[in-house]
Amino acid sequence: MTVVFHPKAIEEFEQTIQFDEERETGLGLDFAGEVYAAISRIMCYPEGWASISASTRRVLVSRFPYGVIFQEKDEVLRIIAVAALQRKPGY
């Protein structure tokens, strides 16, 4: 399965890594690791997560209040957002 990030998703992901790393050394790397672990879970069970719409799902990131919003079609996993669930509840 191929993983493709929407440009805005990779931007918000990288900004969060940088912000967390500035707050505490190693925290940004921990966040990145948890996001990649969530993506690995998606790749194993793409249909096993909460539906947001007919073609979009969300998996929660462990240890951080974030969700990975994604779509899967024809062996392509498209990451739509790495969403902060507390700051943007309706996002």
Side-chain angles (χ1 to χ4, degrees), residues 27-41:
L27 188 60
L29 293 176
D30 287 349
F31 172 72
E34 293 296 345
V35 169
Y36 285 120
I39 292 170
S40 292
R41 291 193 305 273

Side-chain angles (χ1 to χ4, degrees), residues 11-74:
E11 181 181 318
E12 64 190 350
F13 180 41
E14 290 173 348
Q15 286 175 352
T16 303
I17 292 169
Q18 182 177 359
F19 176 79
D20 285 353
E21 198 63 28
E22 289 172 0
R23 285 182 39 213
E24 182 182 327
T25 301
L27 188 60
L29 293 176
D30 287 349
F31 172 72
E34 293 296 345
V35 169
Y36 285 120
I39 292 170
S40 292
R41 291 193 305 273
I42 294 167
M43 292 173 72
C44 290
Y45 307 102
E47 295 181 11
W49 310 102
S51 291
I52 294 175
S53 71
S55 63
T56 306
R57 294 179 180 274
R58 180 186 75 188
V59 62
L60 298 178
V61 175
S62 298
R63 297 183 44 216
F64 294 88
Y66 280 77
V68 177
I69 314 301
F70 68 95
Q71 296 174 333
E72 187 270 330
K73 183 177 180 183
D74 300 328

